[in-house]
Amino acid sequence: MSTQSQITQTQVLDAISRAALMLERQDAAQSGLQLLLNEFRRSLLQTSGQAATTVLYHGKIKSYLYTAPEQLSR
């Protein structure tokens, strides 16, 4: 017997917040990612977690990570 648990919007927002808090503000690349994650969190709250918001920010975050990988690996 298996149980399936649904991930809630609160859990997603908490995970995004925790990820943003773990980044260093003094590091330019990490600070930029932190701003993007905080923007993502605010947008999710404003749109009530619409899937389109997640798709949009998935693309934005992916693009950011591709453009600054060497800066983030420090």
Side-chain angles (χ1 to χ4, degrees), residues 3-33:
T3 58
Q4 290 183 330
S5 62
Q6 197 86 355
I7 296 174
T8 66
Q9 182 177 352
T10 303
Q11 290 172 314
V12 171
L13 294 171
D14 183 54
I16 294 169
S17 296
R18 288 173 188 262
L21 287 172
M22 296 196 63
L23 298 169
E24 296 288 331
R25 283 189 171 202
Q26 293 78 19
D27 183 287
Q30 289 188 26
S31 178
L33 182 56

Side-chain angles (χ1 to χ4, degrees), residues 28-40:
Q30 289 188 26
S31 178
L33 182 56
Q34 185 179 52
L35 291 172
L36 189 56
L37 288 171
N38 286 329
E39 181 184 314
F40 180 25

Side-chain angles (χ1 to χ4, degrees), residues 58-73:
H58 176 265
K60 284 184 172 189
I61 292 169
K62 188 175 175 181
S63 176
Y64 186 86
L65 293 174
Y66 279 138
T67 59
E70 67 283 343
Q71 294 173 346
L72 291 170
S73 64

